[in-house]
Amino acid sequence: VQLQASGGGLVQAGDSLRLSCAASGRTERNFVMTWFRQSPGKEREFVAGIDRTGVRKDYSESAKGRFTISRVSAGNTVYLQMNSLKPEDTAVYYCASTFRPYGRIPTDSTTYNYWGQGTLVTVSS
């Protein structure tokens, strides 16, 4: 599975951005797709995830109420709509995927087999 993340950029606090993650190669609907982020000097952290059906979603506390994860019906593209961005949201955002036909969405980055290259989001104050 190859993942291609895009949509990052430089915005001001309070603005919105939509990140996209396109999957190719061995793509199956039994894959969980997730967004992580990493700031300089910090560990990679879970942001949001969506199950294979697109129904079950999970968010970090910092993302709840501001970010929305979704996937198109074909299952191969996932979006992260980020609203009310804050300077502390500045990070490289990575999409990740792993085979998980059922159960909770993993929030541990070591669970994930496939990673995109990352897209930089910079939020100025």
Side-chain angles (χ1 to χ4, degrees), residues 24-51:
S24 60
R26 181 195 170 194
T27 55
E28 299 179 15
R29 288 192 57 80
N30 286 331
F31 279 78
V32 164
M33 295 190 75
T34 305
W35 289 95
F36 286 81
R37 69 185 183 186
Q38 189 167 20
S39 304
K42 294 186 178 181
E43 293 187 353
R44 194 166 295 189
E45 64 174 349
F46 171 81
V47 177
I50 190 166
D51 75 350

PDB file of all heavy atoms in Angstrom, residues 24-51:
ATOM      1  N   SER A  24      -2.916   3.743  -2.754  1.00  0.00           N
ATOM      2  CA  SER A  24      -2.828   2.985  -4.004  1.00  0.00           C
ATOM      3  C   SER A  24      -2.086   1.685  -3.715  1.00  0.00           C
ATOM      4  O   SER A  24      -1.532   1.475  -2.643  1.00  0.00           O
ATOM      5  CB  SER A  24      -2.104   3.799  -5.076  1.00  0.00           C
ATOM      6  OG  SER A  24      -0.786   4.111  -4.658  1.00  0.00           O
ATOM      7  N   GLY A  25      -2.079   0.826  -4.724  1.00  0.00           N
ATOM      8  CA  GLY A  25      -1.469  -0.477  -4.528  1.00  0.00           C
ATOM      9  C   GLY A  25      -2.498  -1.454  -3.988  1.00  0.00           C
ATOM     10  O   GLY A  25      -3.624  -1.495  -4.456  1.00  0.00           O
ATOM     11  N   ARG A  26      -2.113  -2.209  -2.984  1.00  0.00           N
ATOM     12  CA  ARG A  26      -3.027  -3.173  -2.389  1.00  0.00           C
ATOM     13  C   ARG A  26      -3.994  -2.427  -1.472  1.00  0.00           C
ATOM     14  O   ARG A  26      -3.733  -2.188  -0.294  1.00  0.00           O
ATOM     15  CB  ARG A  26      -2.272  -4.210  -1.573  1.00  0.00           C
ATOM     16  CG  ARG A  26      -3.190  -5.255  -0.939  1.00  0.00           C
ATOM     17  CD  ARG A  26      -2.466  -6.041   0.131  1.00  0.00           C
ATOM     18  NE  ARG A  26      -3.369  -6.875   0.906  1.00  0.00           N
ATOM     19  CZ  ARG A  26      -3.075  -7.449   2.048  1.00  0.00           C
ATOM     20  NH1 ARG A  26      -1.885  -7.299   2.565  1.00  0.00           N
ATOM     21  NH2 ARG A  26      -3.944  -8.181   2.684  1.00  0.00           N
ATOM     22  N   THR A  27      -5.096  -2.008  -2.044  1.00  0.00           N
ATOM     23  CA  THR A  27      -6.064  -1.249  -1.254  1.00  0.00           C
ATOM     24  C   THR A  27      -7.279  -2.119  -0.963  1.00  0.00           C
ATOM     25  O   THR A  27      -7.835  -2.720  -1.863  1.00  0.00           O
ATOM     26  CB  THR A  27      -6.478   0.026  -1.996  1.00  0.00           C
ATOM     27  OG1 THR A  27      -6.952  -0.325  -3.291  1.00  0.00           O
ATOM     28  CG2 THR A  27      -5.311   0.963  -2.139  1.00  0.00           C
ATOM     29  N   GLU A  28      -7.662  -2.182   0.256  1.00  0.00           N
ATOM     30  CA  GLU A  28      -8.814  -2.974   0.675  1.00  0.00           C
ATOM     31  C   GLU A  28      -9.638  -2.159   1.647  1.00  0.00           C
ATOM     32  O   GLU A  28      -9.140  -1.304   2.352  1.00  0.00           O
ATOM     33  CB  GLU A  28      -8.360  -4.259   1.373  1.00  0.00           C
ATOM     34  CG  GLU A  28      -7.539  -5.188   0.520  1.00  0.00           C
ATOM     35  CD  GLU A  28      -7.106  -6.424   1.298  1.00  0.00           C
ATOM     36  OE1 GLU A  28      -7.667  -6.675   2.379  1.00  0.00           O
ATOM     37  OE2 GLU A  28      -6.208  -7.126   0.830  1.00  0.00           O
ATOM     38  N   ARG A  29     -10.888  -2.458   1.671  1.00  0.00           N
ATOM     39  CA  ARG A  29     -11.760  -1.724   2.576  1.00  0.00           C
ATOM     40  C   ARG A  29     -11.570  -2.163   4.020  1.00  0.00           C
ATOM     41  O   ARG A  29     -12.144  -1.548   4.911  1.00  0.00           O
ATOM     42  CB  ARG A  29     -13.207  -1.892   2.139  1.00  0.00           C
ATOM     43  CG  ARG A  29     -13.535  -1.118   0.867  1.00  0.00           C
ATOM     44  CD  ARG A  29     -15.024  -1.088   0.666  1.00  0.00           C
ATOM     45  NE  ARG A  29     -15.716  -0.517   1.808  1.00  0.00           N
ATOM     46  CZ  ARG A  29     -15.830   0.776   2.037  1.00  0.00           C
ATOM     47  NH1 ARG A  29     -15.281   1.647   1.233  1.00  0.00           N
ATOM     48  NH2 ARG A  29     -16.491   1.222   3.092  1.00  0.00           N
ATOM     49  N   ASN A  30     -10.791  -3.195   4.289  1.00  0.00           N
ATOM     50  CA  ASN A  30     -10.569  -3.638   5.662  1.00  0.00           C
ATOM     51  C   ASN A  30      -9.414  -2.912   6.343  1.00  0.00           C
ATOM     52  O   ASN A  30      -8.939  -3.350   7.380  1.00  0.00           O
ATOM     53  CB  ASN A  30     -10.319  -5.145   5.703  1.00  0.00           C
ATOM     54  CG  ASN A  30     -11.592  -5.929   5.484  1.00  0.00           C
ATOM     55  OD1 ASN A  30     -12.669  -5.461   5.824  1.00  0.00           O
ATOM     56  ND2 ASN A  30     -11.460  -7.104   4.911  1.00  0.00           N
ATOM     57  N   PHE A  31      -8.984  -1.823   5.763  1.00  0.00           N
ATOM     58  CA  PHE A  31      -7.893  -1.053   6.334  1.00  0.00           C
ATOM     59  C   PHE A  31      -8.438   0.125   7.129  1.00  0.00           C
ATOM     60  O   PHE A  31      -9.282   0.877   6.672  1.00  0.00           O
ATOM     61  CB  PHE A  31      -6.973  -0.529   5.220  1.00  0.00           C
ATOM     62  CG  PHE A  31      -5.982  -1.550   4.739  1.00  0.00           C
ATOM     63  CD1 PHE A  31      -6.359  -2.556   3.889  1.00  0.00           C
ATOM     64  CD2 PHE A  31      -4.669  -1.483   5.148  1.00  0.00           C
ATOM     65  CE1 PHE A  31      -5.451  -3.493   3.445  1.00  0.00           C
ATOM     66  CE2 PHE A  31      -3.742  -2.413   4.716  1.00  0.00           C
ATOM     67  CZ  PHE A  31      -4.136  -3.419   3.855  1.00  0.00           C
ATOM     68  N   VAL A  32      -7.891   0.274   8.337  1.00  0.00           N
ATOM     69  CA  VAL A  32      -8.085   1.495   9.103  1.00  0.00           C
ATOM     70  C   VAL A  32      -7.143   2.542   8.541  1.00  0.00           C
ATOM     71  O   VAL A  32      -6.004   2.241   8.184  1.00  0.00           O
ATOM     72  CB  VAL A  32      -7.772   1.245  10.591  1.00  0.00           C
ATOM     73  CG1 VAL A  32      -7.574   2.552  11.334  1.00  0.00           C
ATOM     74  CG2 VAL A  32      -8.865   0.418  11.236  1.00  0.00           C
ATOM     75  N   MET A  33      -7.623   3.779   8.466  1.00  0.00           N
ATOM     76  CA  MET A  33      -6.756   4.867   8.018  1.00  0.00           C
ATOM     77  C   MET A  33      -6.745   5.956   9.081  1.00  0.00           C
ATOM     78  O   MET A  33      -7.793   6.277   9.659  1.00  0.00           O
ATOM     79  CB  MET A  33      -7.216   5.391   6.664  1.00  0.00           C
ATOM     80  CG  MET A  33      -7.063   4.336   5.573  1.00  0.00           C
ATOM     81  SD  MET A  33      -7.323   4.948   3.900  1.00  0.00           S
ATOM     82  CE  MET A  33      -5.797   5.852   3.624  1.00  0.00           C
ATOM     83  N   THR A  34      -5.585   6.517   9.302  1.00  0.00           N
ATOM     84  CA  THR A  34      -5.370   7.369  10.466  1.00  0.00           C
ATOM     85  C   THR A  34      -4.440   8.515  10.113  1.00  0.00           C
ATOM     86  O   THR A  34      -3.625   8.409   9.199  1.00  0.00           O
ATOM     87  CB  THR A  34      -4.744   6.536  11.594  1.00  0.00           C
ATOM     88  OG1 THR A  34      -5.580   5.400  11.859  1.00  0.00           O
ATOM     89  CG2 THR A  34      -4.591   7.313  12.875  1.00  0.00           C
ATOM     90  N   TRP A  35      -4.582   9.585  10.835  1.00  0.00           N
ATOM     91  CA  TRP A  35      -3.651  10.719  10.762  1.00  0.00           C
ATOM     92  C   TRP A  35      -2.885  10.827  12.085  1.00  0.00           C
ATOM     93  O   TRP A  35      -3.489  10.783  13.166  1.00  0.00           O
ATOM     94  CB  TRP A  35      -4.394  12.020  10.504  1.00  0.00           C
ATOM     95  CG  TRP A  35      -4.947  12.133   9.119  1.00  0.00           C
ATOM     96  CD1 TRP A  35      -6.204  11.830   8.689  1.00  0.00           C
ATOM     97  CD2 TRP A  35      -4.234  12.593   7.960  1.00  0.00           C
ATOM     98  NE1 TRP A  35      -6.322  12.068   7.341  1.00  0.00           N
ATOM     99  CE2 TRP A  35      -5.132  12.537   6.865  1.00  0.00           C
ATOM    100  CE3 TRP A  35      -2.934  13.040   7.728  1.00  0.00           C
ATOM    101  CZ2 TRP A  35      -4.776  12.922   5.577  1.00  0.00           C
ATOM    102  CZ3 TRP A  35      -2.578  13.419   6.451  1.00  0.00           C
ATOM    103  CH2 TRP A  35      -3.487  13.362   5.399  1.00  0.00           C
ATOM    104  N   PHE A  36      -1.579  10.963  11.935  1.00  0.00           N
ATOM    105  CA  PHE A  36      -0.701  11.279  13.056  1.00  0.00           C
ATOM    106  C   PHE A  36      -0.023  12.611  12.749  1.00  0.00           C
ATOM    107  O   PHE A  36      -0.043  13.073  11.610  1.00  0.00           O
ATOM    108  CB  PHE A  36       0.369  10.200  13.233  1.00  0.00           C
ATOM    109  CG  PHE A  36      -0.138   8.917  13.820  1.00  0.00           C
ATOM    110  CD1 PHE A  36      -0.784   7.982  13.023  1.00  0.00           C
ATOM    111  CD2 PHE A  36       0.027   8.640  15.160  1.00  0.00           C
ATOM    112  CE1 PHE A  36      -1.258   6.784  13.563  1.00  0.00           C
ATOM    113  CE2 PHE A  36      -0.435   7.448  15.714  1.00  0.00           C
ATOM    114  CZ  PHE A  36      -1.079   6.528  14.903  1.00  0.00           C
ATOM    115  N   ARG A  37       0.599  13.190  13.756  1.00  0.00           N
ATOM    116  CA  ARG A  37       1.384  14.397  13.529  1.00  0.00           C
ATOM    117  C   ARG A  37       2.616  14.379  14.436  1.00  0.00           C
ATOM    118  O   ARG A  37       2.620  13.739  15.479  1.00  0.00           O
ATOM    119  CB  ARG A  37       0.555  15.652  13.758  1.00  0.00           C
ATOM    120  CG  ARG A  37       0.161  15.911  15.202  1.00  0.00           C
ATOM    121  CD  ARG A  37      -0.759  17.119  15.286  1.00  0.00           C
ATOM    122  NE  ARG A  37      -1.105  17.454  16.668  1.00  0.00           N
ATOM    123  CZ  ARG A  37      -1.984  18.389  17.006  1.00  0.00           C
ATOM    124  NH1 ARG A  37      -2.613  19.095  16.065  1.00  0.00           N
ATOM    125  NH2 ARG A  37      -2.226  18.635  18.281  1.00  0.00           N
ATOM    126  N   GLN A  38       3.612  15.109  13.979  1.00  0.00           N
ATOM    127  CA  GLN A  38       4.844  15.183  14.749  1.00  0.00           C
ATOM    128  C   GLN A  38       5.420  16.584  14.652  1.00  0.00           C
ATOM    129  O   GLN A  38       5.657  17.094  13.550  1.00  0.00           O
ATOM    130  CB  GLN A  38       5.858  14.154  14.262  1.00  0.00           C
ATOM    131  CG  GLN A  38       7.074  14.022  15.140  1.00  0.00           C
ATOM    132  CD  GLN A  38       7.890  12.791  14.821  1.00  0.00           C
ATOM    133  OE1 GLN A  38       7.793  12.221  13.743  1.00  0.00           O
ATOM    134  NE2 GLN A  38       8.706  12.345  15.781  1.00  0.00           N
ATOM    135  N   SER A  39       5.646  17.181  15.815  1.00  0.00           N
ATOM    136  CA  SER A  39       6.278  18.487  15.909  1.00  0.00           C
ATOM    137  C   SER A  39       7.742  18.289  16.268  1.00  0.00           C
ATOM    138  O   SER A  39       8.103  17.265  16.839  1.00  0.00           O
ATOM    139  CB  SER A  39       5.597  19.330  16.983  1.00  0.00           C
ATOM    140  OG  SER A  39       4.212  19.429  16.723  1.00  0.00           O
ATOM    141  N   PRO A  40       8.588  19.273  15.973  1.00  0.00           N
ATOM    142  CA  PRO A  40      10.015  19.137  16.309  1.00  0.00           C
ATOM    143  C   PRO A  40      10.210  18.865  17.797  1.00  0.00           C
ATOM    144  O   PRO A  40       9.642  19.544  18.653  1.00  0.00           O
ATOM    145  CB  PRO A  40      10.582  20.506  15.911  1.00  0.00           C
ATOM    146  CG  PRO A  40       9.675  20.987  14.837  1.00  0.00           C
ATOM    147  CD  PRO A  40       8.316  20.508  15.221  1.00  0.00           C
ATOM    148  N   GLY A  41      11.003  17.850  18.092  1.00  0.00           N
ATOM    149  CA  GLY A  41      11.308  17.519  19.476  1.00  0.00           C
ATOM    150  C   GLY A  41      10.238  16.737  20.196  1.00  0.00           C
ATOM    151  O   GLY A  41      10.380  16.435  21.388  1.00  0.00           O
ATOM    152  N   LYS A  42       9.167  16.403  19.496  1.00  0.00           N
ATOM    153  CA  LYS A  42       8.073  15.666  20.126  1.00  0.00           C
ATOM    154  C   LYS A  42       7.873  14.326  19.443  1.00  0.00           C
ATOM    155  O   LYS A  42       8.280  14.122  18.302  1.00  0.00           O
ATOM    156  CB  LYS A  42       6.776  16.474  20.069  1.00  0.00           C
ATOM    157  CG  LYS A  42       6.814  17.757  20.888  1.00  0.00           C
ATOM    158  CD  LYS A  42       5.453  18.414  20.896  1.00  0.00           C
ATOM    159  CE  LYS A  42       5.454  19.663  21.754  1.00  0.00           C
ATOM    160  NZ  LYS A  42       4.115  20.320  21.789  1.00  0.00           N
ATOM    161  N   GLU A  43       7.225  13.423  20.156  1.00  0.00           N
ATOM    162  CA  GLU A  43       6.908  12.132  19.566  1.00  0.00           C
ATOM    163  C   GLU A  43       5.723  12.260  18.615  1.00  0.00           C
ATOM    164  O   GLU A  43       4.912  13.183  18.726  1.00  0.00           O
ATOM    165  CB  GLU A  43       6.575  11.119  20.678  1.00  0.00           C
ATOM    166  CG  GLU A  43       7.757  10.777  21.567  1.00  0.00           C
ATOM    167  CD  GLU A  43       7.435   9.659  22.532  1.00  0.00           C
ATOM    168  OE1 GLU A  43       6.262   9.237  22.597  1.00  0.00           O
ATOM    169  OE2 GLU A  43       8.356   9.198  23.224  1.00  0.00           O
ATOM    170  N   ARG A  44       5.655  11.304  17.726  1.00  0.00           N
ATOM    171  CA  ARG A  44       4.513  11.270  16.811  1.00  0.00           C
ATOM    172  C   ARG A  44       3.253  10.951  17.610  1.00  0.00           C
ATOM    173  O   ARG A  44       3.243  10.036  18.429  1.00  0.00           O
ATOM    174  CB  ARG A  44       4.755  10.214  15.730  1.00  0.00           C
ATOM    175  CG  ARG A  44       3.830  10.290  14.562  1.00  0.00           C
ATOM    176  CD  ARG A  44       4.333   9.446  13.402  1.00  0.00           C
ATOM    177  NE  ARG A  44       5.602   9.952  12.864  1.00  0.00           N
ATOM    178  CZ  ARG A  44       6.160   9.493  11.750  1.00  0.00           C
ATOM    179  NH1 ARG A  44       5.579   8.509  11.075  1.00  0.00           N
ATOM    180  NH2 ARG A  44       7.304   9.985  11.331  1.00  0.00           N
ATOM    181  N   GLU A  45       2.202  11.716  17.360  1.00  0.00           N
ATOM    182  CA  GLU A  45       0.977  11.531  18.130  1.00  0.00           C
ATOM    183  C   GLU A  45      -0.223  11.298  17.227  1.00  0.00           C
ATOM    184  O   GLU A  45      -0.317  11.826  16.126  1.00  0.00           O
ATOM    185  CB  GLU A  45       0.714  12.742  19.034  1.00  0.00           C
ATOM    186  CG  GLU A  45       0.449  14.034  18.299  1.00  0.00           C
ATOM    187  CD  GLU A  45       0.045  15.174  19.224  1.00  0.00           C
ATOM    188  OE1 GLU A  45      -0.233  14.926  20.414  1.00  0.00           O
ATOM    189  OE2 GLU A  45      -0.025  16.317  18.753  1.00  0.00           O
ATOM    190  N   PHE A  46      -1.137  10.517  17.748  1.00  0.00           N
ATOM    191  CA  PHE A  46      -2.386  10.222  17.051  1.00  0.00           C
ATOM    192  C   PHE A  46      -3.246  11.475  16.982  1.00  0.00           C
ATOM    193  O   PHE A  46      -3.357  12.213  17.963  1.00  0.00           O
ATOM    194  CB  PHE A  46      -3.113   9.120  17.817  1.00  0.00           C
ATOM    195  CG  PHE A  46      -4.504   8.833  17.359  1.00  0.00           C
ATOM    196  CD1 PHE A  46      -4.729   8.027  16.258  1.00  0.00           C
ATOM    197  CD2 PHE A  46      -5.596   9.395  18.005  1.00  0.00           C
ATOM    198  CE1 PHE A  46      -6.020   7.762  15.832  1.00  0.00           C
ATOM    199  CE2 PHE A  46      -6.876   9.133  17.590  1.00  0.00           C
ATOM    200  CZ  PHE A  46      -7.099   8.315  16.496  1.00  0.00           C
ATOM    201  N   VAL A  47      -3.877  11.672  15.833  1.00  0.00           N
ATOM    202  CA  VAL A  47      -4.774  12.817  15.656  1.00  0.00           C
ATOM    203  C   VAL A  47      -6.210  12.335  15.432  1.00  0.00           C
ATOM    204  O   VAL A  47      -7.127  12.735  16.149  1.00  0.00           O
ATOM    205  CB  VAL A  47      -4.337  13.701  14.477  1.00  0.00           C
ATOM    206  CG1 VAL A  47      -5.333  14.849  14.278  1.00  0.00           C
ATOM    207  CG2 VAL A  47      -2.934  14.252  14.698  1.00  0.00           C
ATOM    208  N   ALA A  48      -6.388  11.479  14.425  1.00  0.00           N
ATOM    209  CA  ALA A  48      -7.729  10.995  14.104  1.00  0.00           C
ATOM    210  C   ALA A  48      -7.616   9.717  13.297  1.00  0.00           C
ATOM    211  O   ALA A  48      -6.642   9.521  12.575  1.00  0.00           O
ATOM    212  CB  ALA A  48      -8.519  12.041  13.323  1.00  0.00           C
ATOM    213  N   GLY A  49      -8.631   8.867  13.427  1.00  0.00           N
ATOM    214  CA  GLY A  49      -8.649   7.621  12.673  1.00  0.00           C
ATOM    215  C   GLY A  49     -10.058   7.266  12.256  1.00  0.00           C
ATOM    216  O   GLY A  49     -11.041   7.713  12.870  1.00  0.00           O
ATOM    217  N   ILE A  50     -10.165   6.459  11.211  1.00  0.00           N
ATOM    218  CA  ILE A  50     -11.475   6.056  10.696  1.00  0.00           C
ATOM    219  C   ILE A  50     -11.414   4.588  10.312  1.00  0.00           C
ATOM    220  O   ILE A  50     -10.418   4.120   9.762  1.00  0.00           O
ATOM    221  CB  ILE A  50     -11.877   6.958   9.511  1.00  0.00           C
ATOM    222  CG1 ILE A  50     -13.332   6.737   9.102  1.00  0.00           C
ATOM    223  CG2 ILE A  50     -10.924   6.791   8.325  1.00  0.00           C
ATOM    224  CD1 ILE A  50     -13.864   7.838   8.175  1.00  0.00           C
ATOM    225  N   ASP A  51     -12.476   3.865  10.639  1.00  0.00           N
ATOM    226  CA  ASP A  51     -12.456   2.429  10.372  1.00  0.00           C
ATOM    227  C   ASP A  51     -12.807   2.143   8.919  1.00  0.00           C
ATOM    228  O   ASP A  51     -13.039   3.040   8.114  1.00  0.00           O
ATOM    229  CB  ASP A  51     -13.377   1.698  11.345  1.00  0.00           C
ATOM    230  CG  ASP A  51     -14.857   1.873  11.030  1.00  0.00           C
ATOM    231  OD1 ASP A  51     -15.210   2.708  10.167  1.00  0.00           O
ATOM    232  OD2 ASP A  51     -15.667   1.185  11.658  1.00  0.00           O
TER     233      ASP A  51
END
